[in-house]
Amino acid sequence: MQTQESSYIMQVVRGKYLSHLYWGRRVEKYRGSRAMIWKDRGFAPNPDDTDRSFSLDTLPQEYPQTGNGDFRTCAYGVRQENGSRISSLYYDGYEIRPGKRKLQGLPASFGSPEDVDTLVIRLRDDVIGLVVELEYNVFDQRSIITRSVRFYNDSQCPVTLTKMLSMSVDFREQEFDVLTLYGAHNNERNMDRRPLTSGIVQIESIRGTSSPQQSPFLALMRKHADEDQGDVYGVQFVYSGNFLASAQVDAFQNVRLQMGLHPWNGEWYLHAGETFQTPEVIMAYTHEGLNGLSHLFHTFYRNHLMRGKHANALRPILVNNWEATFFQFTEDKLLALAQKAAEVGIELFVLDDGWFGHRDGDNSSLGDWFVDQRKLPHGLPWLADQIHGMGMQFGLWFEPEMISQDSQLYREHPDYVLHAQGRPYTIGRGQLVLDLSRKDVCDYVIDSVRTILADTDIDYVKWDMNRHLTEVESGAYAPCQQGEIAHRYVLGLYYILETLTSEFPDILFEGCSSGGGRFDAGMLYYMPQSWCSDNTDAVCRMKIQYATSLTFPPVTMGAHVSVVPNQQTGRVTPLETRGNVAMSANFGYELDLNALSQQELNVVKEQIARYKEIRDTVQNGTFYRIKNPFEGNLAQWNFVSQDKNHVVAFHFEILSQPAAPVQLLKLKGLEADALYRDVDRGTVYGGDELMYAGISIPLKKQDFRSECYRFEKV
Ligand code: DGJ
């Protein structure tokens, strides 16, 4: 398989073993240089015959099997009705077709026959009657290959799939670092780069969502690779539930890279004649370092994953009432906030949690999606009209996957809760989770959200999800299917999202899970932006947004200015810096504008005016990371517009230092022989000068200081 930048080569060994030869920098024509070297290795058992030099334990496999001599981690697992857990897959042919089919019920990348070709390799286990189709989609212009797997039970008996990964690649070398993103609520996506040594590096979520604890992303990097150069292999899962990603170093210094559904609570009972489709993994290789990797992912997501009219449209600047009022609001309070927002140039007013049922705190009313007349006596349509009358759009918060025990819904349908027979509930944030493995529950969710969206003129929806899944079982399924519920929950969610986003194509949807707790490529397919973190502290946000940008374009990250001292960290940072961090992504405010001084309001007005000028460059341009805040006191990055005429650069210095060095900002992605004018200062520089010599940043005695530079090509 060839893309513009990469080649991916497989070989069928001995007429039946599908093995992996190469994935990496493009090779124009492969003539066999990387031949397999056979050797008799101790403890490496031999299938077929007595040739001791051939073993599955040393063969680089494309989709490793289980129970017959490859002792490394397998890519799939089965359990037959007779208890047997062994499976051997043999090559059974291939097919190449233009274009790419939809993955039934799952989010996945898409493209026309001009964009993408599909290779399907068929493998068979004749003893079980199991067919495994490995699907590869080659987006050659984008240098991206995607992979997924389809299992087909071609026998007369049921079989249980006990593991169904979406991809596995065996590298015949080991000199890599591994990069993953870990975190927590309020501390999402920290970069963790460490050497790959012996054993397994494994990241996972068994929380029912992709989670803030680990992101479904893993990269292998050459030791010397950095932001701008060096081999990087990145894989990302297009899925929002439990996942596993691992890199295993074997005894002979080969690396097995894998990603897919987590096998814990992740079985599937496959009746005769049935198929199971895994979600998709996006695979990107570049020799241009992490920025190169990001550019591949960003362009790919913009063109082949994000859908609908908002995917490539400019996004409105919003104000959200959450941190301004929490649950304690009245119509008057909201209208006063909206009025001020309109005055300063904000374009979208978002009413967050607390507008429904009798929700005065976080332990009631989830599931009761009808307006609380005490707080909003004139109702939602009236409120939306008022906001529209001020020249702004109107947005509304929902948390539709949840149910409070103190709710009308729970009183009527206690069975709607995800629960295990005879066991008490585990509560999270005072709430329970709806059993979305059940179609009737999904339909209730669709109907209740649909009623509000149809009755009120709504432009934007914030779709929240504030706890993880426990007691993941369902009375609606047979005992042998209980291992399916975690995946069925995610499929139910995708059914709901597909229905609502197609019925309301004009609404801009923003994902959220207590901040950026479900910021994944699966959600991005339905919702082209996500709240990046509940932590709006400028210093923390530099890091969170920096790491999130590894695969997600800044336009997808909701980033708001909030009050100081910051509610999560207590830190006091200048309004300018909070603005510059938030303006580096999808911009908005989350504070009581009426509590600001006139001087602060003037700064807010300037920020909004500035963002409107730079918005196209920030939201549609190419993003370059320059200085990594995880590595020191600085953060720097810049954006270059698609036509390369506009550049926006940001410089952040976290703590003021004695004997401070004069810092340089060396821009990236400019045209070396073009001239650029500094829009705010009038000076003209060469592109080469700005990139290679850099701009000297004036010294300032101030913690958390920041600078924003705008350039226009002359
Ligand atoms: C968690 C979200 O991340 C917040 O922005 C806010 O919407 C609250 N939920 C509301 O309960």
Side-chain angles (χ1 to χ4, degrees):
M1 293 182 284
Q2 295 284 65
T3 77
Q4 271 187 356
E5 285 192 34
S6 59
S7 297
Y8 190 111
I9 308 177
M10 290 173 266
Q11 178 183 352
V12 179
V13 172
R14 297 188 161 209
K16 57 183 183 182
Y17 298 104
L18 183 66
S19 61
H20 181 82
L21 261 185
Y22 175 71
W23 177 31
R25 191 159 176 170
R26 183 181 164 100
V27 171
E28 213 40 54
K29 181 165 170 53
Y30 176 70
R31 295 184 175 83
S33 64
R34 203 183 172 91
M36 304 272 186
I37 303 291
W38 308 110
K39 173 147 177 48
D40 176 4
R41 307 272 198 185
F43 300 109
N46 323 109
D48 300 335
D49 53 33
T50 53
D51 177 358
R52 291 201 184 182
S53 69
F54 182 75
S55 173
L56 298 184
D57 205 23
T58 54
L59 185 72
Q61 298 214 64
E62 195 59 25
Y63 200 65
Q65 29 206 312
T66 166
N68 42 21
D70 183 342
F71 297 107
R72 298 166 290 178
T73 56
C74 57
Y76 74 104
V78 291
R79 188 174 59 241
Q80 287 181 260
E81 292 292 274
N82 65 10
S84 173
R85 293 156 184 265
I86 298 162
S87 178
S88 308
L89 289 176
Y90 299 124
Y91 174 74
D92 189 36
Y94 75 93
E95 195 188 319
I96 293 174
R97 35 183 134 89
K100 178 176 191 283
R101 71 188 169 90
K102 275 189 150 195
L103 299 190
Q104 191 59 41
L106 287 165
S109 62
F110 50 81
S112 69
E114 288 76 50
D115 300 324
V116 52
D117 287 312
T118 295
L119 163 68
V120 177
I121 299 183
R122 203 177 145 93
L123 307 171
R124 250 193 105 82
D125 182 327
D126 276 326
V127 176
I128 302 176
L130 181 68
V131 175
V132 177
E133 290 181 348
L134 308 184
E135 177 161 333
Y136 301 78
N137 311 107
V138 184
F139 292 81
D140 58 338
Q141 300 302 309
R142 307 280 181 207
S143 293
I144 293 278
I145 295 174
T146 72
R147 277 184 71 172
S148 66
V149 178
R150 199 148 63 134
F151 294 86
Y152 169 57
N153 183 352
D154 193 19
S155 77
Q156 303 303 314
C157 309
V159 63
T160 302
L161 302 174
T162 57
K163 185 176 184 183
M164 323 64 121
L165 297 187
S166 297
M167 60 87 51
S168 183
V169 172
D170 281 355
F171 292 83
R172 282 166 54 194
E173 41 200 328
Q174 190 223 316
E175 294 80 29
F176 291 113
D177 284 345
V178 59
L179 174 68
T180 58
L181 303 174
Y182 74 93
H185 175 226
N186 279 331
N187 184 25
E188 293 88 343
R189 289 173 291 285
N190 293 273
M191 290 171 77
D192 187 5
R193 178 176 181 171
R194 62 257 195 220
L196 195 56
T197 55
S198 61
I200 302 183
V201 171
Q202 180 168 311
I203 56 159
E204 63 182 19
S205 167
I206 55 166
R207 295 168 168 270
T209 81
S210 49
S211 92
Q213 278 74 16
Q214 293 286 352
S215 292
F217 163 79
L218 188 149
L220 295 181
M221 306 174 64
R222 294 284 176 214
K223 299 282 180 192
H224 63 271
D226 57 25
E227 279 289 5
D228 301 306
Q229 59 76 40
D231 288 344
V232 185
Y233 300 82
V235 292
Q236 186 149 47
F237 205 20
V238 188
Y239 189 65
S240 313
N242 295 343
F243 74 91
L244 173 148
S246 65
Q248 179 184 34
V249 180
D250 74 11
F252 309 107
Q253 279 150 42
N254 306 300
V255 176
R256 176 164 286 176
L257 174 67
Q258 296 185 319
M259 180 173 264
L261 293 171
H262 203 294
W264 182 85
N265 233 346
E267 296 190 347
W268 201 267
Y269 191 74
L270 206 59
H271 286 99
E274 282 184 352
T275 58
F276 177 83
Q277 172 66 57
T278 74
E280 177 177 47
V281 170
I282 315 283
M283 302 168 60
Y285 159 80
T286 178
H287 63 276
E288 292 176 349
L290 288 174
N291 269 314
L293 185 82
S294 301
H295 296 157
L296 292 181
F297 273 106
H298 293 187
T299 315
F300 188 69
Y301 286 166
R302 284 173 182 290
N303 293 286
H304 302 287
L305 187 72
M306 289 154 66
R307 301 181 302 167
K309 65 182 255 192
H310 298 288
N312 290 305
L314 294 180
R315 311 291 170 78
I317 302 172
L318 68 79
V319 66
N320 178 307
N321 77 307
W322 178 242
E323 292 196 17
T325 66
F326 295 103
F327 296 103
Q328 282 72 50
F329 56 81
T330 58
E331 274 176 355
D332 286 349
K333 236 181 182 180
L334 295 179
L335 291 176
L337 177 59
Q339 193 55 54
K340 193 53 84 185
E343 276 168 35
V344 295
I346 285 174
E347 299 157 324
L348 163 65
F349 177 87
V350 179
L351 172 55
D352 209 278
D353 196 353
W355 58 266
F356 52 93
H358 58 98
R359 188 154 161 99
D360 297 326
D362 62 13
N363 55 4
S364 89
S365 305
L366 291 169
D368 294 349
W369 300 109
F370 39 83
V371 76
D372 182 349
Q373 300 277 350
R374 296 170 312 155
K375 290 186 194 171
L376 302 174
H378 292 92
L380 280 175
W382 177 87
L383 182 64
D385 283 351
Q386 302 301 304
I387 304 293
H388 287 134
M390 296 177 194
M392 284 188 296
Q393 299 178 346
F394 178 65
L396 195 60
W397 179 97
F398 289 91
E399 192 180 357
E401 298 158 64
M402 297 293 152
I403 179 167
S404 306
Q405 273 170 296
D406 177 10
S407 70
Q408 195 171 305
L409 180 65
Y410 183 80
R411 284 185 281 276
E412 283 167 20
H413 293 287
D415 59 304
Y416 276 14
V417 175
L418 200 58
H419 70 285
Q421 283 296 329
R423 291 188 184 278
Y425 301 134
T426 304
I427 317 275
R429 205 199 186 203
Q431 64 200 48
L432 301 169
V433 185
L434 286 171
D435 180 358
L436 298 190
S437 72
R438 281 173 55 171
K439 176 139 188 326
D440 58 339
V441 177
C442 293
D443 287 334
Y444 168 81
V445 170
I446 292 172
D447 281 346
S448 52
V449 176
R450 176 193 280 143
T451 304
I452 297 283
L453 299 186
D455 286 356
T456 306
D457 194 358
I458 289 177
D459 306 284
Y460 160 107
V461 163
K462 177 173 171 186
W463 187 289
D464 207 346
M465 200 280 189
N466 289 310
R467 63 157 290 180
H468 288 152
L469 275 51
T470 53
E471 290 82 40
V472 189
E473 293 181 5
S474 173
Y477 291 87
C480 61
Q481 289 184 288
Q482 292 304 315
E484 301 174 6
I485 306 305
H487 183 51
R488 284 190 183 275
Y489 177 92
V490 181
L491 293 178
L493 171 66
Y494 289 154
Y495 159 62
I496 294 169
L497 295 180
E498 181 66 32
T499 308
L500 290 172
T501 55
S502 338
E503 273 181 35
F504 298 95
D506 292 335
I507 294 180
L508 170 62
F509 283 81
E510 172 155 351
C512 175
S513 180
S514 290
R518 195 165 57 182
F519 202 137
D520 60 58
M523 293 307 283
L524 202 60
Y525 178 77
Y526 302 100
M527 306 189 179
Q529 61 190 63
S530 174
W531 181 223
C532 204
S533 176
D534 276 350
N535 187 343
T536 44
D537 171 80
V539 176
C540 297
R541 270 302 186 112
M542 282 174 208
K543 295 183 183 170
I544 295 172
Q545 292 171 203
Y546 191 94
T548 305
S549 78
L550 276 175
T551 56
F552 296 111
V555 66
T556 63
M557 304 174 206
H560 303 169
V561 174
S562 64
V563 288
V564 287
N566 180 270
Q567 307 215 356
Q568 285 76 30
T569 62
R571 197 173 355 244
V572 177
T573 54
L575 182 53
E576 288 75 10
T577 296
R578 281 175 274 150
N580 283 336
V581 173
M583 276 196 270
S584 299
N586 194 328
F587 187 48
Y589 288 84
E590 188 143 346
L591 43 71
D592 186 356
L593 292 165
N594 284 308
L596 298 184
S597 68
Q598 193 50 49
Q599 198 193 346
E600 287 171 319
L601 275 176
N602 291 342
V603 175
V604 166
K605 262 190 200 162
E606 279 165 29
Q607 288 175 339
I608 290 170
R610 174 174 283 249
Y611 191 71
K612 287 177 182 170
E613 284 172 27
I614 64 173
R615 173 162 45 188
D616 183 51
T617 305
V618 170
Q619 297 193 353
N620 291 329
T622 308
F623 180 64
Y624 294 85
R625 291 177 300 271
I626 304 172
K627 286 275 181 207
N628 182 344
F630 289 94
E631 289 174 358
N633 198 36
L634 296 185
Q636 293 179 338
W637 46 72
N638 74 261
F639 300 82
V640 181
S641 65
Q642 276 180 9
D643 61 9
K644 297 220 174 196
N645 288 341
H646 304 277
V647 179
V648 182
F650 291 94
H651 166 87
F652 303 94
E653 227 161 311
I654 299 172
L655 290 182
S656 174
Q657 300 176 70
V662 174
Q663 299 295 350
L664 292 168
L665 170 62
K666 296 184 181 177
L667 304 190
K668 295 183 183 174
L670 276 54
E671 286 172 17
D673 52 3
L675 290 175
Y676 293 87
R677 185 177 49 247
D678 180 329
V679 177
D680 299 300
R681 298 159 192 86
T683 359
V684 173
Y685 304 105
D688 51 0
E689 199 181 344
L690 290 173
M691 289 193 291
Y692 314 144
I695 313 166
S696 301
I697 307 285
L699 290 165
K700 240 188 218 174
K701 284 187 199 164
Q702 186 194 23
D703 283 341
F704 320 123
R705 58 93 53 116
S706 64
E707 307 293 333
C708 171
Y709 290 86
R710 294 181 290 173
F711 296 96
E712 254 172 25
K713 196 151 91 180
V714 179

